């Protein structure tokens, strides 16, 4: 067999973000003067691939754009980042757009977005060689009909699949059986299992789909993972937050990077929390993508936010989950 051409193949979202800086989030019916506005490229998988390329991985991105001026922005930015690109162009369609309202007092953001139903990557656009020519497949929750095909090819070839998942949708039931590492929002395991306690929901999700490990990002509380035997937890790092947009995208990029380097889950979570934290110190989804020396410096010297879980809590929850598994 020939050696893989790429380290990571990403299939999923790109978006044009209009970032509005506000002194505070507006109340219903009020008027608030903007402190600033910028139009910046973003999107879950496109941003993750650009970060991985910057960290020295060979990347291949597959996505969809409209036939508007934003489409050329995405092409230009991906080429500039030296990401190999295959894009579907949807005729007479606007590319995905987001309006991101930043509360400058906290750095937290609220997103209003629009993705035209015609912005889909059809399954017949995929080439199996794209999947088998990579060492890892990274997908999001969009176009599950397409990503489930790609993930099934990856599974058949022994290629690990990482999925960036925010919300439970019926289409994801086709994808999840082929995902080795679901890396989700904190809401996803709860919504997928009906179990409100995250320490119980993660093991249930892992058992249901026989994942290698499941991970939930918890915002300022860091990230938690379950590998079928034990929990792994990393608190977030203290940084000067300007804009949290893209923090999750960087976490997912770093998670895939760590897997490709054979790290254990603790090192992966620590690295991912550091990369995500640094992305919060600048505007936009990609404004704070930092080089490896800066990420490693934060890993060595950075202060952590208060841990949400103690070791005793995690050990007790792991013991409970293991008993449930053996029944």
């Amino acid at each position: 067999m020939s050696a893989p051409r790429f380290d990571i193949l990403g299939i999923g979202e790109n978006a044009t973000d209009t970032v509005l800086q506000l002194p505070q989030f507006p109340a219903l019916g009020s008027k608030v003067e903007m402190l600033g506005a910028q139009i910046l490229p973003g999107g879950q998988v496109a941003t993750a691939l650009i970060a991985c390329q910057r960290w020295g991985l060979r990347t291949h991105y597959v996505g969809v754009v409209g036939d508007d001026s934003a489409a050329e922005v995405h092409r230009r930015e991906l080429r500039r980042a030296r990401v190999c690109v295959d894009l579907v162009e949807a005729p007479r369609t606007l590319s995905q757009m987001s309006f991101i309202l930043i509360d400058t007092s906290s750095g937290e953001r609220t997103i209003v977005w629009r993705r035209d139903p015609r912005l889909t990557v059809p399954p017949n656009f995929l080439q199996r060689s794209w999947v088998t020519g990579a060492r890892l497949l990274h997908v999001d929750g969009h176009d599950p009909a397409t990503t489930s095909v790609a993930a099934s090819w990856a599974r058949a070839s022994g290629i690990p699949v990482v999925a960036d998942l925010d919300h439970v949708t019926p289409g994801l039931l086709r994808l999840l059986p082929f995902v080795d590492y679901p890396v989700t929002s904190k809401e996803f395991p709860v919504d997928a299992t009906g179990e409100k306690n995250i320490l119980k929901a993660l093991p249930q999700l892992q058992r249901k789909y026989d994942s290698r490990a499941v991970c939930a990002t918890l915002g300022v509380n860091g990230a938690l993972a379950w590998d079928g035997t034990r929990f792994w937890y990393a608190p977030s790092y203290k940084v000067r937050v300007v804009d949290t947009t893209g923090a999750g995208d960087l976490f997912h990029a770093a998670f895939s990077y760590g897997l490709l380097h054979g790290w254990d889950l603790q090192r992966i979570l620590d690295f991912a929390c550091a990369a995500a934290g640094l992305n919060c110190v600048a505007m936009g989804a990609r404004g704070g993508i930092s080089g490896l020396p800066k990420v490693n410096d934060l890993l060595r010297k950075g202060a952590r936010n208060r841990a949400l879980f103690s070791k005793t809590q995690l050990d007790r929850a792991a013991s409970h989950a293991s008993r449930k598994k053996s029944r």
Side-chain angles (χ1 to χ4, degrees), residues 90-101:
R92 300 180 300 281
T93 305
L94 294 176
S95 300
Q96 182 169 337
M97 65 182 74
S98 302
F99 292 87
I100 301 176
L101 283 63

Side-chain angles (χ1 to χ4, degrees), residues 139-293:
V139 300
D140 61 21
H142 298 290
D143 300 335
T146 299
T147 51
S148 61
V149 171
S152 69
W153 291 344
R155 175 64 60 85
S157 299
I159 296 166
V161 180
V162 176
D164 176 351
L165 304 175
D166 286 329
H167 306 290
V168 177
T169 63
L172 288 180
L173 300 179
R174 300 173 58 180
L175 172 63
L176 278 166
F178 301 108
V179 176
D180 298 291
Y181 299 95
V183 183
T184 77
S185 66
K186 61 185 177 183
E187 295 83 9
F188 189 95
V190 174
D191 294 341
T193 64
E195 172 55 64
K196 294 183 179 180
N197 185 336
I198 191 72
L199 294 172
K200 296 179 180 179
L202 281 181
Q204 287 184 26
L205 187 65
Q206 187 269 334
R207 285 197 301 271
K208 184 173 183 178
Y209 294 104
D210 196 27
S211 310
R212 295 194 199 180
V214 294
C215 174
T217 57
L218 308 175
V220 71
N221 290 315
L224 177 70
W226 168 258
D227 66 1
T229 302
R230 60 162 289 185
F231 284 102
W232 306 78
Y233 174 66
S236 64
Y237 287 85
K238 291 184 178 181
V239 296
R240 182 182 59 84
V241 176
V242 172
D243 176 11
T244 58
T245 305
D249 306 338
L250 265 291
F251 186 96
H252 291 84
F255 193 97
S256 291
Y257 180 92
L259 285 177
L260 284 167
H261 284 79
W263 297 347
D264 65 31
L265 277 171
Q266 189 61 59
R267 185 176 179 185
I268 289 173
L269 295 187
D270 288 335
F271 177 75
C273 283
L278 286 170
N279 204 54
C280 295
V281 304
M283 291 293 296
R286 304 172 189 172
I289 297 177
S290 299
L292 291 176

Side-chain angles (χ1 to χ4, degrees), residues 76-115:
R76 183 181 68 243
E77 291 301 311
L78 288 160
R79 284 197 300 265
R80 181 182 297 173
R82 299 185 178 181
V83 175
C84 177
V85 179
D86 282 284
L87 290 177
V88 178
E89 183 176 297
R92 300 180 300 281
T93 305
L94 294 176
S95 300
Q96 182 169 337
M97 65 182 74
S98 302
F99 292 87
I100 301 176
L101 283 63
I102 307 296
D103 179 346
T104 54
S105 63
S106 65
E108 288 297 330
R109 84 279 194 251
T110 299
I111 300 176
V112 181
W113 61 277
R114 168 68 175 168
R115 179 182 171 93

Side-chain angles (χ1 to χ4, degrees), residues 5-6 9 60 62 86 125-134:
R5 292 182 56 213
F6 298 99
L9 168 68
H60 181 190
V62 177
D86 282 284
F125 181 74
L126 290 181
Q127 296 181 26
R128 190 164 187 151
S129 61
W130 294 348
V131 177
T132 57

